[in-house]
Amino acid sequence: MKTKIAVAFIFFSLTISIFSQDNKETNTEVLLGEWKLDMSPQTKDDNNFALMRITSVEDNKMEGIFYREGVQLKNGQINTQRGIIYAALTSGDNSGDYNTSFYYDNGKLYGTTHAVDRDFLSVWIADKVQ
């Protein structure tokens, strides 16, 4: 009998956990503003920073600039179906195109930027400036 109660309790707990994750409210407006991206989080000696300014979030779209002034982010997409804010975008300058994705957690953005033409993948962490 104790085993059946324990199994029922575990099943009930997992069901509630899964249900609450899938229905967690996410406010994508936390993305709005200016973010300072540390493009070199593995070393404390390197000061390789970039900028992202998200000026608009609506439905599952976002707009703004990425990396530096004048570089518009394109194809900005947001997904919250897992109860976590995920986003992806493309950008580009004279050196090629960049594919970027990130997620929001506890006031920070954790992301990657892949530059196919430049043969690199940057892992970064961003703090909100404004």
Side-chain angles (χ1 to χ4, degrees):
M1 180 69 175
K2 288 183 182 179
T3 304
K4 288 181 181 178
I5 293 173
V7 170
F9 177 74
I10 291 170
F11 177 74
F12 180 73
S13 297
L14 288 174
T15 302
I16 289 175
S17 175
I18 291 168
F19 180 77
S20 64
Q21 287 177 1
D22 288 342
N23 291 304
K24 184 177 176 183
E25 288 294 320
T26 51
N27 182 359
T28 59
E29 289 186 8
V30 299
L31 299 178
L32 291 171
E34 189 166 315
W35 296 85
K36 182 179 180 181
L37 284 67
D38 182 349
M39 305 293 277
S40 54
Q42 292 183 355
T43 172
K44 301 284 186 199
D45 298 331
D46 190 5
N47 292 323
N48 187 12
F49 294 100
L51 144 77
M52 178 166 52
R53 184 177 304 122
I54 300 175
T55 57
S56 170
V57 292
E58 188 174 328
D59 298 323
N60 64 341
K61 308 272 188 215
M62 67 180 173
E63 296 178 352
I65 63 167
F66 182 78
Y67 193 68
R68 66 176 185 262
E69 292 291 343
V71 180
Q72 293 295 312
L73 71 83
K74 299 176 264 183
N75 308 308
Q77 295 285 308
I78 301 170
N79 185 314
T80 61
Q81 74 189 52
R82 297 279 183 191
I84 299 169
I85 300 171
Y86 290 95
L89 61 100
T90 58
S91 62
D93 58 16
N94 294 332
S95 66
D97 295 325
Y98 298 87
N99 300 301
T100 297
S101 64
F102 61 88
Y103 68 93
Y104 175 87
D105 185 35
N106 202 27
K108 292 185 180 285
L109 301 179
Y110 297 87
T112 62
T113 297
H114 181 214
V116 176
D117 297 333
R118 295 186 59 204
D119 195 30
F120 81 85
L121 174 66
S122 175
V123 178
W124 50 265
I125 300 170
D127 290 303
K128 198 167 199 177
V129 177
Q130 298 176 352

